[in-house]
Amino acid sequence: MSRPEIVRARAPLRLGLAGGGTDVSPYCDIYGGQVVNATIARYAYAELAPGEDNACLLRSLDQGCSMRLAGPEPAQAVPALVLHQAVYRHMIERYHGGKPLALTFSTRSDAPAGSGLGSSSTMVVAMIHAFSVYLALNLGAHEIAELAFHIERVVCGLQGGRQDQFAAAYGGFNFMTFPSGGGADIAPLDVPVALTRELASSLILCYTGMSRASAQIINDQSENIRQGASAALEATHALKLEAASMRHCLLAGDMQGIVASMQTGWENKKKLARSVSNTHIDAMYAAALQAGALAGKVSGAGGGGFMMFLAPAGRRAMVGRALADMGGQVSRCRFDEAGSTAWRVGAGVSDDALQAAPA
């Protein structure tokens, strides 16, 4: 089979707008979950380039590490490359008859690990999409997302929710439901253009300066549900209802309703587990509101990573300064509507271009 010299892919990171936590087991297995999210113009990138000697060289350009896989023999584990290895093994076993591929398999991301933007799952989606084009598999968005979930959550046993893979694969604003019987239903939201522009001009992203181990936070949350902790369970039910409210507000162009939904969602999110927030996050939140922000929350599981705030245009600068004074790294937000994409690159283009690819 004739293959391109190089295949590149990128998948967008996401903001969890409402319902985050209801897509995590065991809650969604018992009650079903629903979330609203939106993808942003920050990406995870993957690249497949020609290799040598029927071996695959795995590289994380962010982490500055690499490992070589040759044949079926087990390789010494490199923690930062666990997902790379799992994706490569799964794709050749399922779609290439178990035969090794001579590749250099590289990745990078616009967000640090533990960002709360779904970076790990988004990276897996980009990896799979690159293999889909390289092996001419023509996998659809839902297939890519389901395969990414299987590799990350089942094969690698990494804890997390169900929304990130589907957000990265589909892109845009989505209302997602996860029935108790399994599966995922993805409903793209036709948000009015004027509202997306207003949201983009109002949103402030702030990296708290703290990475976090989302697995432990999710474990705490899941354990509270297993033990029937009433406060956590009631809060998760409320978050599920809030996703429906956020969906309605987005479709109706109701900015005031979005602000109220985000305020309520954050208060309930903090009740899922004590590790969701901490004194530094609480202080940053208070400082942002005092400077004029209308609402805010942590994106993802909590404990650190990125926070998002909504602020009137005239207060953005003051909110940004208040967050920067507390060590936050502030940036604007643009939305991405395209979802994961992959493309072939002609011969003669160096794979080192991946490292310098524009965000």
Coordinates of all heavy atoms in Angstrom, one line a residue, residues 254-310:
D254 N -28.6 33.7 25.6 CA -28.9 34.3 26.9 C -27.6 34.4 27.7 O -27.2 33.5 28.5 CB -29.9 33.5 27.7 CG -30.3 34.0 29.0 OD1 -29.7 35.1 29.4 OD2 -31.1 33.4 29.7
M255 N -26.9 35.5 27.6 CA -25.6 35.7 28.3 C -25.8 35.7 29.8 O -24.9 35.2 30.5 CB -24.9 37.0 27.8 CG -23.5 37.1 28.2 SD -22.4 35.8 27.5 CE -20.8 36.3 28.1
Q256 N -26.8 36.4 30.3 CA -27.0 36.5 31.7 C -27.3 35.1 32.3 O -26.8 34.8 33.4 CB -28.2 37.4 32.0 CG -27.9 38.9 31.8 CD -29.0 39.8 32.2 OE1 -30.2 39.4 32.3 NE2 -28.7 41.0 32.6
G257 N -28.0 34.3 31.5 CA -28.2 32.9 32.0 C -27.0 32.1 32.0 O -26.8 31.2 32.9
I258 N -26.1 32.3 31.1 CA -24.8 31.6 31.0 C -24.0 32.0 32.3 O -23.4 31.1 32.9 CB -24.0 31.9 29.7 CG1 -24.7 31.3 28.6 CG2 -22.6 31.4 29.8 CD1 -24.2 31.7 27.2
V259 N -24.0 33.2 32.6 CA -23.2 33.7 33.8 C -23.8 33.0 35.1 O -23.1 32.5 35.9 CB -23.3 35.2 34.0 CG1 -22.8 35.7 35.3 CG2 -22.5 35.9 32.9
A260 N -25.1 33.0 35.2 CA -25.8 32.4 36.3 C -25.5 30.9 36.4 O -25.2 30.3 37.5 CB -27.3 32.6 36.3
S261 N -25.5 30.2 35.2 CA -25.3 28.8 35.2 C -23.8 28.5 35.6 O -23.6 27.5 36.3 CB -25.5 28.3 33.8 OG -25.2 26.9 33.7
M262 N -22.9 29.3 35.2 CA -21.5 29.1 35.5 C -21.3 29.3 37.0 O -20.6 28.5 37.7 CB -20.5 30.0 34.7 CG -19.1 29.7 35.0 SD -17.9 30.6 33.9 CE -18.3 29.9 32.3
Q263 N -21.9 30.3 37.6 CA -21.8 30.5 39.0 C -22.3 29.3 39.8 O -21.7 28.8 40.8 CB -22.6 31.8 39.4 CG -22.1 33.1 38.9 CD -23.0 34.2 39.1 OE1 -24.3 34.0 39.2 NE2 -22.5 35.5 39.2
T264 N -23.5 28.9 39.5 CA -24.1 27.7 40.2 C -23.3 26.5 40.0 O -23.1 25.7 40.9 CB -25.6 27.5 39.7 OG1 -26.3 28.7 39.8 CG2 -26.2 26.3 40.4
G265 N -22.8 26.3 38.8 CA -22.0 25.1 38.5 C -20.8 25.0 39.3 O -20.4 23.9 39.8
W266 N -20.1 26.1 39.5 CA -18.9 26.1 40.3 C -19.1 25.8 41.7 O -18.4 25.0 42.4 CB -18.1 27.4 40.1 CG -16.9 27.6 41.0 CD1 -16.6 28.5 41.9 CD2 -15.8 26.6 41.0 NE1 -15.4 28.3 42.4 CE2 -14.8 27.2 41.9 CE3 -15.5 25.5 40.4 CZ2 -13.6 26.5 42.2 CZ3 -14.3 24.8 40.6 CH2 -13.4 25.3 41.6
E267 N -20.2 26.4 42.3 CA -20.5 26.1 43.7 C -20.8 24.6 43.9 O -20.4 24.0 44.9 CB -21.7 26.9 44.1 CG -21.4 28.4 44.2 CD -20.2 28.7 45.1 OE1 -20.1 28.1 46.2 OE2 -19.3 29.5 44.7
N268 N -21.5 24.0 42.9 CA -21.8 22.5 43.0 C -20.6 21.7 42.7 O -20.4 20.6 43.4 CB -22.9 22.2 42.1 CG -24.3 22.6 42.7 OD1 -24.6 22.2 43.8 ND2 -25.1 23.3 41.9
K269 N -19.7 22.1 41.8 CA -18.5 21.4 41.5 C -17.6 21.2 42.7 O -17.1 20.1 42.9 CB -17.8 22.2 40.4 CG -16.5 21.5 39.9 CD -16.7 20.4 39.0 CE -15.4 19.9 38.4 NZ -15.6 18.8 37.4
K270 N -17.5 22.2 43.5 CA -16.7 22.2 44.7 C -17.2 21.2 45.7 O -16.4 20.7 46.6 CB -16.6 23.6 45.3 CG -15.7 24.6 44.5 CD -15.5 25.9 45.2 CE -16.8 26.7 45.4 NZ -16.5 28.0 46.0
K271 N -18.4 20.8 45.6 CA -19.0 19.8 46.6 C -18.7 18.4 46.2 O -19.0 17.4 47.0 CB -20.5 20.0 46.7 CG -20.9 21.4 47.3 CD -22.4 21.6 47.2 CE -22.8 23.0 47.7 NZ -24.2 23.2 47.6
L272 N -18.2 18.1 45.0 CA -17.9 16.8 44.6 C -16.8 16.1 45.4 O -16.9 14.9 45.6 CB -17.6 16.7 43.1 CG -18.6 17.3 42.1 CD1 -18.1 17.0 40.7 CD2 -20.0 16.7 42.3
A273 N -15.8 16.9 45.7 CA -14.7 16.4 46.5 C -13.9 17.6 47.0 O -13.8 18.6 46.4 CB -13.7 15.5 45.6
R274 N -13.3 17.4 48.2 CA -12.6 18.5 48.8 C -11.4 19.0 48.0 O -11.0 20.1 48.0 CB -12.1 18.1 50.2 CG -13.3 17.9 51.2 CD -12.8 18.0 52.6 NE -11.6 17.2 52.9 CZ -11.1 17.0 54.1 NH1 -11.7 17.6 55.1 NH2 -10.0 16.3 54.3
S275 N -10.9 18.0 47.2 CA -9.7 18.4 46.4 C -10.0 19.2 45.1 O -9.0 19.6 44.4 CB -9.0 17.0 46.0 OG -9.9 16.1 45.4
V276 N -11.2 19.4 44.8 CA -11.6 20.2 43.6 C -11.0 21.6 43.7 O -10.5 22.1 42.7 CB -13.1 20.2 43.4 CG1 -13.5 21.2 42.3 CG2 -13.6 18.8 43.0
S277 N -11.1 22.2 44.8 CA -10.6 23.5 45.0 C -9.5 23.5 46.1 O -9.3 22.5 46.8 CB -11.7 24.5 45.3 OG -11.2 25.9 45.2
N278 N -8.9 24.7 46.3 CA -7.9 24.8 47.4 C -7.8 26.3 47.7 O -8.4 27.1 47.1 CB -6.5 24.2 47.0 CG -6.0 24.7 45.7 OD1 -6.0 25.9 45.5 ND2 -5.6 23.8 44.8
T279 N -7.0 26.7 48.7 CA -6.9 28.1 49.1 C -6.4 29.0 48.0 O -6.9 30.1 47.8 CB -6.0 28.2 50.3 OG1 -4.7 27.7 50.0 CG2 -6.6 27.5 51.5
H280 N -5.5 28.5 47.1 CA -5.0 29.3 46.0 C -6.0 29.6 45.0 O -6.2 30.7 44.5 CB -3.7 28.6 45.4 CG -3.1 29.5 44.3 ND1 -2.6 30.7 44.6 CD2 -2.9 29.2 43.0 CE1 -2.0 31.2 43.5 NE2 -2.2 30.3 42.5
I281 N -6.8 28.5 44.6 CA -7.8 28.7 43.7 C -8.9 29.6 44.2 O -9.4 30.5 43.5 CB -8.4 27.3 43.3 CG1 -7.4 26.5 42.4 CG2 -9.7 27.5 42.5 CD1 -7.8 25.1 42.1
D282 N -9.3 29.4 45.5 CA -10.3 30.2 46.1 C -9.9 31.7 46.1 O -10.7 32.6 45.8 CB -10.6 29.8 47.5 CG -11.3 28.4 47.5 OD1 -11.9 28.0 46.5 OD2 -11.3 27.8 48.6
A283 N -8.6 31.9 46.4 CA -8.1 33.3 46.4 C -8.1 33.9 45.0 O -8.4 35.1 44.9 CB -6.7 33.3 47.0
M284 N -7.7 33.2 44.0 CA -7.7 33.7 42.6 C -9.2 34.0 42.2 O -9.4 35.0 41.5 CB -7.1 32.7 41.7 CG -5.6 32.5 41.9 SD -4.8 31.5 40.7 CE -4.5 32.7 39.4
Y285 N -10.1 33.1 42.5 CA -11.5 33.3 42.2 C -12.0 34.6 42.8 O -12.6 35.4 42.2 CB -12.3 32.1 42.6 CG -13.7 32.2 42.3 CD1 -14.2 31.7 41.0 CD2 -14.7 32.7 43.1 CE1 -15.5 31.7 40.7 CE2 -16.0 32.7 42.8 CZ -16.5 32.2 41.6 OH -17.8 32.3 41.2
A286 N -11.7 34.8 44.1 CA -12.2 36.0 44.8 C -11.6 37.2 44.3 O -12.3 38.3 44.1 CB -11.8 35.9 46.3
A287 N -10.3 37.2 43.9 CA -9.6 38.4 43.3 C -10.2 38.7 42.0 O -10.4 39.9 41.7 CB -8.1 38.1 43.2
A288 N -10.5 37.7 41.2 CA -11.1 38.0 39.9 C -12.5 38.6 40.0 O -12.8 39.6 39.3 CB -11.2 36.7 39.1
L289 N -13.3 38.1 40.9 CA -14.6 38.7 41.1 C -14.6 40.1 41.7 O -15.3 41.0 41.2 CB -15.5 37.8 42.0 CG -16.4 36.8 41.3 CD1 -15.7 35.9 40.4 CD2 -17.3 36.1 42.3
Q290 N -13.6 40.4 42.6 CA -13.5 41.7 43.1 C -13.0 42.7 42.0 O -13.4 43.9 42.1 CB -12.4 41.7 44.3 CG -12.3 43.0 45.0 CD -11.4 42.9 46.2 OE1 -10.8 41.9 46.5 NE2 -11.3 44.0 46.9
A291 N -12.3 42.2 41.1 CA -11.8 43.1 40.0 C -12.9 43.3 38.9 O -12.7 44.1 38.0 CB -10.5 42.5 39.4
G292 N -14.0 42.5 39.0 CA -15.1 42.8 38.0 C -15.5 41.6 37.2 O -16.5 41.7 36.4
A293 N -14.9 40.4 37.4 CA -15.4 39.2 36.8 C -16.8 38.9 37.2 O -17.2 39.1 38.4 CB -14.5 38.0 37.0
L294 N -17.6 38.3 36.3 CA -19.0 38.0 36.7 C -19.2 36.6 37.2 O -20.0 36.3 38.0 CB -19.9 38.2 35.5 CG -19.9 39.6 34.8 CD1 -20.7 39.6 33.5 CD2 -20.5 40.6 35.8
A295 N -18.4 35.7 36.7 CA -18.4 34.3 37.1 C -17.1 33.6 36.7 O -16.3 34.1 35.9 CB -19.6 33.6 36.4
G296 N -16.9 32.4 37.2 CA -15.7 31.7 36.9 C -15.7 30.3 37.4 O -16.6 29.9 38.2
K297 N -14.8 29.5 37.0 CA -14.7 28.1 37.4 C -13.4 27.5 37.0 O -12.7 28.1 36.1 CB -15.9 27.2 36.9 CG -15.9 27.0 35.4 CD -17.2 26.4 34.8 CE -17.3 24.9 35.3 NZ -16.3 24.0 34.5
V298 N -13.1 26.4 37.6 CA -11.9 25.6 37.1 C -12.4 24.7 35.9 O -13.4 24.1 36.0 CB -11.3 24.8 38.2 CG1 -10.3 23.8 37.7 CG2 -10.7 25.7 39.3
S299 N -11.5 24.6 34.9 CA -11.8 23.7 33.8 C -11.3 22.3 34.1 O -10.2 22.2 34.6 CB -11.2 24.2 32.5 OG -11.6 23.4 31.4
G300 N -12.1 21.3 33.9 CA -11.6 20.0 34.2 C -11.9 19.5 35.6 O -12.8 20.1 36.3
A301 N -11.1 18.6 36.1 CA -11.4 18.0 37.4 C -11.2 19.0 38.6 O -11.9 18.8 39.6 CB -10.5 16.8 37.6
G302 N -10.3 19.9 38.4 CA -10.1 20.9 39.5 C -8.7 20.7 40.1 O -7.9 19.9 39.6
G303 N -8.4 21.4 41.2 CA -7.2 21.3 41.9 C -6.1 22.1 41.3 O -5.0 22.2 41.9
G304 N -6.3 22.7 40.1 CA -5.2 23.5 39.5 C -5.5 23.6 38.0 O -6.7 23.6 37.6
G305 N -4.5 23.7 37.2 CA -4.7 23.8 35.7 C -5.3 25.2 35.4 O -4.9 26.2 36.0
F306 N -6.2 25.2 34.4 CA -6.7 26.4 33.9 C -8.1 26.8 34.6 O -8.9 25.9 34.9 CB -7.0 26.3 32.4 CG -5.8 26.6 31.6 CD1 -4.9 25.7 31.3 CD2 -5.6 27.9 31.0 CE1 -3.8 25.9 30.5 CE2 -4.5 28.2 30.2 CZ -3.6 27.2 30.0
M307 N -8.2 28.0 34.9 CA -9.5 28.6 35.3 C -10.1 29.4 34.2 O -9.3 29.9 33.3 CB -9.4 29.4 36.6 CG -8.8 28.7 37.8 SD -8.7 29.7 39.3 CE -10.5 29.9 39.7
M308 N -11.4 29.6 34.1 CA -12.0 30.5 33.1 C -12.9 31.4 33.8 O -13.5 31.1 34.8 CB -12.8 29.7 32.1 CG -14.0 29.0 32.6 SD -14.9 28.0 31.3 CE -14.2 26.4 31.6
F309 N -12.9 32.7 33.3 CA -13.8 33.7 33.9 C -14.5 34.4 32.8 O -14.0 34.5 31.7 CB -12.9 34.7 34.7 CG -12.2 34.1 35.9 CD1 -10.9 33.7 35.8 CD2 -12.9 34.1 37.1 CE1 -10.3 33.1 36.9 CE2 -12.2 33.5 38.2 CZ -10.9 33.1 38.1
L310 N -15.7 34.9 33.1 CA -16.5 35.8 32.2 C -16.4 37.2 32.8 O -16.7 37.4 34.0 CB -17.9 35.3 32.1 CG -18.2 34.0 31.4 CD1 -19.6 33.6 31.5 CD2 -17.8 34.1 29.9

